[in-house]
Amino acid sequence: ESGKEPDGWNKGDWTADVLGLALSGGRLYVPVFYDDKLFVVDTTSGKILDTVNMTSPRGVTSFNGKVYLLSNKTLVPVDADGNPGAAIISSGLDDPSGVTTDAVGNFYISDGGASQQVKVFTPDGKPVREIGMKGGRPRSGAYDPKGMIDPRGLCVTPDGKVWVMSANWDFEELSVWDKEGNRTQTFFCT
């Protein structure tokens, strides 16, 4: 599985493998990828309220008082204690890492692997569209602004722009995409 290191690597170092944070109802939801756990933390006391075993927990988001978590290649709702419900999205993802929502509750998921795109789904999990060209841009050679490489963290602005952080090993890239799926800005980080 892409991005998964050998057993024991980074285990127990949950400050190094947190792949997202979500806040809801005075609780912070913290997926810890290499430890296969979701921590639920009280935001007032800092106390860990619950620890839930999850398969490959990744991005997490909240919308309208509900929390949603990427677990392996699925998107599941989780209750206040972090327990997963039935999958909302169970197919169509290759190697997801980040998830967010827009103002109406559509899910935007950064999907690495063979896809290298952001995939958009309705609140009930139906695919809507893809942002960026399938397969992404090449790791070396001519730069193609229509593609992404290693998309990770993302957010959607109130006007519908999608900001995507790519975690390429050579350099990091922050790209901005409009509602039609066109790249409008790029920022390179070194």
Side-chain angles (χ1 to χ4, degrees):
E1 176 177 324
S2 175
K4 197 80 165 176
E5 299 297 333
D7 283 346
W9 187 87
N10 231 14
K11 289 256 185 218
D13 186 10
W14 67 283
T15 60
D17 59 348
V18 171
L19 295 184
L21 298 170
L23 183 63
S24 182
R27 293 174 178 216
L28 183 66
Y29 296 82
V30 184
V32 183
F33 183 70
Y34 291 113
D35 288 343
D36 290 325
K37 297 193 183 321
L38 175 67
F39 290 88
V40 182
V41 180
D42 181 274
T43 58
T44 302
S45 68
K47 177 183 173 193
I48 296 174
L49 301 174
D50 289 292
T51 303
V52 181
N53 292 323
M54 299 290 292
T55 302
S56 189
R58 300 165 182 228
V60 63
T61 192
S62 61
F63 180 75
N64 280 349
K66 295 181 181 178
V67 176
Y68 303 91
L69 173 76
L70 286 168
S71 175
N72 202 6
K73 297 181 182 183
T74 63
L75 181 71
V76 295
V78 294
D79 66 16
D81 297 324
N83 299 304
I88 296 170
I89 299 168
S90 59
S91 63
L93 298 174
D94 187 41
D95 188 16
S97 62
V99 60
T100 192
T101 57
D102 63 16
V104 296
N106 290 314
F107 295 104
Y108 290 69
I109 299 175
S110 56
D111 196 20
S115 173
Q116 299 295 325
Q117 297 172 300
V118 171
K119 295 182 177 176
V120 184
F121 297 85
T122 62
D124 60 351
K126 293 181 179 61
V128 175
R129 64 187 168 105
E130 297 166 344
I131 300 171
M133 90 179 152
K134 186 165 182 59
R137 64 172 179 75
R139 288 193 184 274
S140 60
Y143 177 80
D144 189 340
K146 294 180 189 148
M148 297 178 205
I149 192 161
D150 297 331
R152 302 289 181 188
L154 69 168
C155 67
V156 180
T157 62
D159 63 352
K161 290 181 183 167
V162 181
W163 289 66
V164 183
M165 187 68 200
S166 295
N168 187 11
W169 289 99
D170 298 330
F171 60 87
E172 294 178 341
E173 174 186 46
L174 179 63
S175 56
V176 184
W177 303 76
D178 65 20
K179 292 179 188 178
E180 291 75 39
N182 301 305
R183 184 187 292 243
T184 61
Q185 288 182 289
T186 304
F187 304 91
F188 293 102
C189 310
T190 58

